[in-house]
Amino acid sequence: MAAQFGRRLAKGATTTAVAALAVAALSASQAPGVTADDNGRSTAAGAEASPDPSAGNGATGKSPYYTDLPPLNTPSPAPTDGTSTSAPVESEAGIPATVLDAYKKAAAELQESKPGCNLPWQLLAAIGQVESGQARGGRVDADGTTTSRILGPQLDGNGFALIKDTDNGAYDGNSAYDSAVGPMQFIPSTWAWAGRDGNGDGVKDPNNVYDASLAAGHYLCRNGWDLSTDGDLDRAVLSYNPSRAYLNTVRSWLEYFRKGTHEIPDGTGTVPDSRSDGSSGSSGSPSTPASPSTPHTSKPSRPGSPSPTPPSTTPPSPGTPTTPPPTTPATPTQSVDHLADSGTAKLAAMAGDAFTEKISTKAENAAGKGVAKVRIRYTIVGDTDATFTGGEKVATALTDSSGVATAPALQAGETAGSFAVRATLIGRTVTGPIYSATVTQRVADTLVRTTDTALTCTPGGQFADAVQVKATYKKAVADKVAVTATLIKSADDATENDKGPYFKDADGKTVRTLTGLATDADGLLKLPQLYSDDTTGTFVLRITTAGGATLDVTLTVAAAADTSASPSPSPSASS
């Protein structure tokens, strides 16, 4: 490790300060029971409980990891502090778009399935940085699968843990020993129980950043750990790789990413330089193009091993034909020229309802032809509480064979008004459409009383029965609909009456118009108690709803009937 820190010092003397702070923070928060093994790696009591037989080796089999620390500069300096973002900060703080999307999607899923874990997506980003340099700079396709496999050295016990083959070479191409696989570097025996399908394609692939990120999230959220606490966070990370130096490095990147990061195009990220086994970044986590059925039996190179003979640098003789270097074919994402609307109908819904129409977008190349298998992100912008199905403000969708992606259904909130949905291509910056959507207030088209009891009152008294109504819209319950109740002069004169029945406000004062009322979940509304002054007669209470439903209720104020009996006439005197 001293050599690795020396290399970082050569880049910038301030990086050791970051390491010192990380170690100090770790020492202050380290849970009791953490000890070091014979190799100086830390272990934590209870940190390794899991179903796989190699639990003591963590998720990665103690495979090598990148030891580069983040720069001292914050990734997003305040605009007023006079600091400019240097190129190293820009490159190291940037996370490739698809990889970043995978981290955030996995954290959102864990927030739903295991809310008590409190997994921050920045922790997945920190582990992804340390394990694979963010999938080797974001070299993934639109599905999130790495363009070539990322493999650690074979774990043959020669400088590494001894883990004999458990997958018959299915994931790592090695039928003799296991190797850590993919952007989050799972060993096959751990992936067998921890693997997840994060991109919904029906396959659990450790080489897919969506699958691997979701698997890492579930792995870190085992044992009821709450990652918002220092002790459980340390236990979870140590269970991934039981090394104190590993924990320090992950924590350093976690804090760095928490201060801010940004999205960069796929494939443009930088690969770290140094690894814990002393190898360089370019050789410590090789991209292996071999098919899964091809066994890999060669041992990894280590410091001091003979280097392969470099290719000749002698220039060719004049006139000698030269073979041009092979070109890397453009990925589908790189071939997209722009995004266009693909027949999306008018987006409108009533508050609380789901939008019946979905957003449809087509990815096209410069010739106007659809591009399949690229990922489009949809983002809701504006002052609205509308979301996509599932409660998220951001959703992603994959284009089909014709280049068309369909966003999840929109769900209207309670806030009426307009908002926008922006479509962007994940992995590159291209022009894309902005969709307008409208949420209208809840309405009712029918309003009826729930009883037909006559409403009567004596002068200066109160009505015995309260008025209750039910609102419906297209024969369905109309809940949370705004209602206004006004005592008017007559059915033909909607002017507020100044005599007769009335309501009372909180201070007991006379009120003849009520606003701010709303029906309940069953479409019902019970009005407050009605009173009357000394004026007798027939009066009208008009109740209206948003949407135009109106109901006139008749109120009668009359003196009580005289029920006393008249005296009987005296009988005539008999003559």
Side-chain angles (χ1 to χ4, degrees):
M1 280 302 294
Q4 305 303 329
F5 276 90
R7 293 173 189 167
R8 297 294 292 174
L9 281 170
K11 298 179 181 179
T14 55
T15 51
T16 53
V18 176
L21 289 173
V23 173
L26 174 63
S27 300
S29 62
Q30 186 68 53
V34 177
T35 58
D37 62 15
D38 293 338
N39 297 315
R41 302 181 179 93
S42 60
T43 57
E48 303 301 327
S50 64
D52 74 316
S54 303
N57 293 317
T60 71
K62 299 180 182 177
S63 293
Y65 57 89
Y66 289 114
T67 58
D68 297 54
L69 294 173
L72 185 62
N73 307 66
T74 58
S76 300
T80 58
D81 65 1
T83 306
S84 62
T85 303
S86 63
V89 176
E90 186 74 15
S91 62
E92 295 191 56
I95 298 178
T98 299
V99 179
L100 180 60
D101 186 60
Y103 296 150
K104 291 185 175 181
K105 184 177 180 181
E109 195 279 341
L110 265 298
Q111 185 59 38
E112 290 290 327
S113 61
K114 296 182 180 180
C117 177
N118 295 305
L119 170 72
W121 66 262
Q122 292 91 340
L123 179 58
L124 296 176
I127 291 176
Q129 175 72 23
V130 170
E131 292 295 347
S132 67
Q134 312 300 8
R136 296 189 61 78
R139 288 162 177 79
V140 297
D141 62 20
D143 286 321
T145 303
T146 56
T147 53
S148 58
R149 288 187 303 178
I150 302 173
L151 295 178
Q154 65 177 9
L155 301 174
D156 57 4
N158 189 5
F160 307 108
L162 173 60
I163 303 179
K164 293 186 178 180
D165 176 65
T166 61
D167 65 332
N168 198 30
Y171 293 123
D172 53 18
N174 189 335
S175 59
Y177 301 98
D178 275 348
S179 294
V181 180
M184 302 304 267
Q185 290 288 276
F186 279 96
I187 53 175
S189 57
T190 301
W191 185 260
W193 61 267
R196 295 291 192 280
D197 176 16
N199 63 352
D201 64 356
V203 178
K204 300 175 183 179
D205 182 4
N207 299 295
N208 182 278
V209 70
Y210 287 95
D211 295 359
S213 297
L214 185 59
H218 278 279
Y219 188 96
L220 294 166
C221 287
R222 303 175 350 272
N223 304 329
W225 285 325
D226 178 0
L227 304 187
S228 66
T229 66
D230 284 337
D232 280 357
L233 176 64
D234 290 348
R235 292 184 184 93
V237 175
L238 286 170
S239 78
Y240 208 89
N241 187 324
S243 160
R244 183 181 293 265
Y246 179 87
L247 175 59
N248 290 351
T249 308
V250 168
R251 271 192 166 274
S252 295
W253 282 104
L254 170 61
E255 295 310 312
Y256 183 70
F257 289 137
R258 276 175 167 166
K259 293 176 183 177
T261 186
H262 59 276
E263 177 183 295
I264 60 175
D266 289 343
T268 63
T270 57
V271 180
D273 293 329
S274 306
R275 292 177 62 79
S276 58
D277 62 348
S279 62
S280 66
S282 60
S283 63
S285 185
S287 300
T288 307
S291 63
S293 61
T294 303
H296 175 74
T297 56
S298 61
K299 295 183 180 180
S301 61
R302 293 183 298 279
S305 299
S307 301
T309 304
S312 172
T313 57
T314 304
S317 302
T320 302
T322 59
T323 302
T327 58
T328 302
T331 65
T333 300
Q334 292 171 328
S335 67
V336 176
D337 178 73
H338 61 275
L339 303 180
D341 176 45
S342 183
T344 302
K346 181 179 179 181
L347 298 170
M350 188 187 302
D353 290 350
F355 284 72
T356 56
E357 301 294 336
K358 293 183 178 181
I359 297 173
S360 186
T361 309
K362 187 175 184 180
E364 296 181 343
N365 59 22
K369 184 178 179 181
V371 180
K373 302 196 78 173
V374 297
R375 196 170 292 275
I376 296 175
R377 177 185 295 120
Y378 296 95
T379 305
I380 296 174
V381 294
D383 184 14
T384 181
D385 54 355
T387 64
F388 291 105
T389 302
E392 298 296 326
K393 291 284 188 179
V394 179
T396 59
L398 195 70
T399 58
D400 59 17
S401 58
S402 62
V404 175
T406 302
L410 286 164
Q411 174 66 43
E414 295 302 322
T415 302
S418 297
F419 63 94
V421 179
R422 181 180 293 120
T424 55
L425 178 68
I426 293 179
R428 283 190 61 221
T429 301
V430 300
T431 58
I434 297 178
Y435 300 88
S436 178
T438 303
V439 177
T440 57
Q441 62 181 335
R442 294 173 182 261
V443 298
D445 56 18
T446 305
L447 195 62
V448 297
R449 283 186 64 198
T450 56
T451 67
D452 56 4
T453 305
L455 298 167
T456 61
C457 177
T458 58
Q462 66 181 38
F463 287 80
D465 296 309
V467 178
Q468 180 171 273
V469 296
K470 182 173 183 177
T472 56
Y473 179 70
K474 294 182 179 180
K475 298 183 180 181
V477 167
D479 60 324
K480 300 181 182 179
V481 175
V483 177
T484 299
T486 305
L487 290 151
I488 60 177
K489 290 185 176 180
S490 70
D492 299 323
D493 185 356
T495 305
E496 181 183 283
N497 210 337
D498 58 358
K499 56 186 176 181
Y502 61 88
F503 300 103
K504 291 182 180 180
D505 65 12
D507 297 325
K509 295 179 180 179
T510 298
V511 176
R512 288 192 167 90
T513 298
L514 296 177
T515 59
L517 305 172
T519 58
D520 64 14
D522 298 317
L524 299 174
L525 172 65
K526 187 174 184 179
L527 296 179
Q529 178 69 54
L530 273 166
Y531 303 87
S532 181
D533 58 18
D534 292 335
T535 307
T536 60
T538 301
F539 303 89
V540 177
L541 169 64
R542 176 161 290 174
I543 306 173
T544 59
T545 70
T550 302
L551 174 67
D552 285 347
V553 179
T554 300
L555 305 174
T556 303
V557 179
D562 187 0
T563 57
S564 59
S566 301
S568 302
S570 301
S572 302
S574 54
S575 49

